[in-house]
Amino acid sequence: MKVLVAVKRVIDYNVKIRVKPDNSDVDLTNVKMAMNPFCEIAVEEAVRLKEKGVATEIVAVTIGPKAAQEQLRTALALGADRAIHVETDERVESLGAAKALAKVVEAEQPGLVILGKQAIDTDNNQTGQMLAALTGLPQGTFASEVVIENDKAQVTREIDGGLQTIELTLPAIVTTDLRLNEPRYAKLPDIMKAKKKPMDVKSPSDLGVEVASKVKLLKVEPPAERQGGIKVGSVDELVDKLKNEAKVIS
Amino acid sequence: MSILVLAEHHDGALAGATAHVVAAAQAIGGDIDVLVAGENVAAVAEAAAKLDGVAKVRLADHAAYAHLLAEPTAALIAELAGDYSHVLAAASTTGKNVLPRVAALKDVSQISEIIAVESPDTFKRPIYAGNAIATVQSEDALKVITVRPTGFDAVGEGGSASVEAVEFVADNAQSTFIKEELAQSDRPELGAAKVVISGGRGMGNGENFKLLEGIADKLGAAIGASRAAVDAGFVPNDMQVGQTGKIVAPELYIAVGISGAIQHLAGMKDSKVIVAINKDEEAPIFQVADYGLVADLFEALPELEQKL
C-alpha cells in the first residue's frame, strides 16, 4: 500500500513570534523554520507502517515556496521514498491546500493519506477534513492509534472527554494527534542519502488548481497584554488576596 | 441572514458549548436555527428549543447520525446549508471534525475558532498559539465557522422554539463506530468550569495529583494538566490544557508546578485571575500570573486546602 504524507513548513515552535509594525502579518524574516510538529508525527507513522510491512512506498508532499523543499528533504531523511513539491509563493489556506492535495491523491492513488491535525502557525485544523471531503474518502481525525487490517483502518481518536475508536474503509485520510507516536530524529547518513531521493516539482497550474487564499487577512495584532501581577509571600496572603482583592473565591 | 448552529450533546444532554455558539450567532445577527443530529436525541432538541434567540430547532434523529461521525453528519449539514448564510459549531472535537468537511463539500473556506464577531463577514481569531490575533474577512456566500466557546458568554434559557424533523438520511458506508472510552469524573467539565486547578511536570507523578483534588472539591473546580504532565503519563490526555488540548477561560486558574510554556499559555491565558504556585521564581508562568507564590507545592497545596 502506498502512503501519502503531507508536511508543512512553519515557524519553529520554540520561536517567540513578533507581529509586523504595520499589523499586516507576523514577521517571518530571519526566523527559524521547521517541519510542523504534527507533520513530523505523520511522517513517523508512515515510516512505522513501512517498517511493519503495511506500507510499500511513502510519498511526502508539500505546498509552498521553494524553501519548503527543506522540509521535504527532512521527510526523505526520515524514511519517505520520494517527494512532490507543489511550488507557489501565494498565501495558501486550507481549502487551496486540500484542492492541490486532492489532485495529488487522484494521481498517486495512495491507500492511506496521513496529515497533522493542525499547523501551529494558522491553527486551522481543516486541511485533512477538507481533503477527505474533496476525495470522497472517510476521515480519522486526531488519531492516537492507527491499526491497518483487511483493507480497513481502525483509528482511535482523541475526543473531548476521552477516546473514540472508529473503523474506516480504505483508502482513508488520517490526521495525527500528539500521542500517536514519538517522532525519530534524522541520522546524518540518511540526511546525505535524502539528497539523492527523487523530488518532483509541480506548479498549482500543472495540477489545474487555484490555491490562492479566498479569506482576506485584514489585520494581525498582538494579543492584549496581561497586567503585571504580584508575588505573595505565603498561602495565607494568597487566600486573602483571592477572597478580598480578586474576589474570585468566597 | 439566517444561521444554522450545530448542537453539541453528550449522553443525551445538550452540552453547554451550544449556548455559547448561539451567542456568537446573535452577534452575527439573523434568524438562528439549531440542528440537533444524533440517535434518540429528542431531549436534546427540547433543551435546544429553550435557548434564548433560537427561532427553530431542526431535529435529525436517526441511527445514521449516532456518535456524529464526520461523513454522515457533514453530508446532512451540507444538504441543509443551502437555506443559510452561516453555519456555526463549537470548536470542540466534534465541530472541528465535521465542519471543515462541510466547508469543502460546499467549496467554501472555513474560519476556525473565532473569538469575536466584527461584522457578519469579519471575525477575529487567534493564530500562532494565541500569540497573535488575526482579523479575517470571508468573501464566500456561505460562511462556515467554528466558535471558541470561551470567547462568547452563553445565552440564557427562556426561548420556546418549534422543533421540526429533518427527513434527510445520509449514507454512512465508509465509517463505523466501534467504541468510546470516556474518562469518568464527578467534577465540572474542564471547558465550562468557573475554577480550574492544573498540575504540571512539577507534580512529580500521577499519585500526587490527589493533592489537587481536595482543593478542587472545596472550590468546585475542574482539574487540568499541562502537556508535560500528560506526556509523562501522570494523567489522561483529555485533562490537557493548551494549544493542542482544551482552551479554558475560567474566573480563576491555578497553575501548580507548571513552567508556563507557550503551548500551555495558549490554553489558559484568557482566564480572569491566574495564580501560579512554583518553586522556580524564574518560571515564565509568573509573567502572566496575577498572584504568584514561590513555594514547594508539596507544602503549599496541603496548607491551601486547609485554609480554604
Side-chain angles (χ1 to χ4, degrees), chain A residues 152-171:
Chain A
K152 305 254 186 194
Q154 260 204 16
V155 179
T156 302
R157 308 176 54 235
E158 296 195 10
I159 59 167
D160 295 331
L163 298 171
Q164 178 190 68
T165 305
I166 55 172
E167 189 171 75
L168 309 173
T169 56
L170 293 177

Side-chain angles (χ1 to χ4, degrees), chain A residues 139 141 165 221 226 232 245, chain B residues 71 97 133 179 269 291-292:
Chain A
Q139 66 190 55
T141 52
T165 305
E221 301 159 289
R226 287 192 73 93
V232 294
E245 194 175 275
Chain B
E71 297 78 14
N97 190 34
I133 307 297
K179 64 176 176 182
K269 70 182 174 173
Y291 302 106

